[in-house]
Amino acid sequence: QAGARQAADSNSTASAMLTLEQRKYNVPATVMILDVLSRILPDHTYVTELRVDGDKLRVIGSTRDAPSLIGLIEQSGRFSRATFFAPTTRSPSDPGERFHIEAIIQPSAGSAS
């Protein structure tokens, strides 16, 4: 019985390792997504929140021209279906527009998806 339990534990560990290995190659690293965003977003854009959930990206921040960000994000080739998921707002104390954008993360050319 102890041998069967050890074999089951071994299979469970192997399965977990395989899942992690697949995730490593199929899910984009958040640091790579941050790098792409830092290259494409204008200097007057400030990201205050960044969330990655599977293949979905959510970015919240402030900028001078929120509508232009949709085009920049989609033209990067790394994201698609960029859209606002909440209204863009302007506050008297904030010099820019507060934006809430979500997009689908496209697999990179080197990933195995």
Side-chain angles (χ1 to χ4, degrees):
Q1 192 173 15
R5 186 178 359 197
Q6 187 176 19
D9 288 346
S10 178
N11 286 340
S12 178
T13 301
S15 176
M17 292 297 287
L18 181 59
T19 300
L20 287 173
E21 185 78 17
Q22 288 173 335
R23 184 170 188 255
K24 175 181 173 181
Y25 292 107
N26 293 333
V27 176
T30 304
V31 71
M32 294 175 77
I33 292 166
L34 187 57
D35 181 55
V36 171
L37 287 173
S38 70
R39 284 187 273 124
I40 64 172
L41 294 178
D43 289 341
H44 57 79
T45 300
Y46 300 94
V47 173
T48 57
E49 188 173 331
L50 175 104
R51 290 185 184 190
V52 176
D53 185 17
D55 68 346
K56 186 184 288 186
L57 167 73
R58 282 193 165 198
V59 182
I60 299 171
S62 178
T63 189
R64 280 190 227 146
D65 183 16
S68 70
L69 299 181
I70 297 292
L72 292 172
I73 290 170
E74 290 211 348
Q75 290 170 8
S76 73
R78 203 60 178 101
F79 309 101
S80 67
R81 296 184 5 212
T83 186
F84 293 105
F85 68 89
T88 299
T89 58
R90 186 179 293 271
S91 164
S93 63
D94 191 357
E97 300 171 326
R98 183 114 170 111
F99 65 86
H100 300 77
I101 296 175
E102 71 181 12
I104 302 300
I105 303 165
Q106 297 300 305
S108 66
S111 72
S113 26

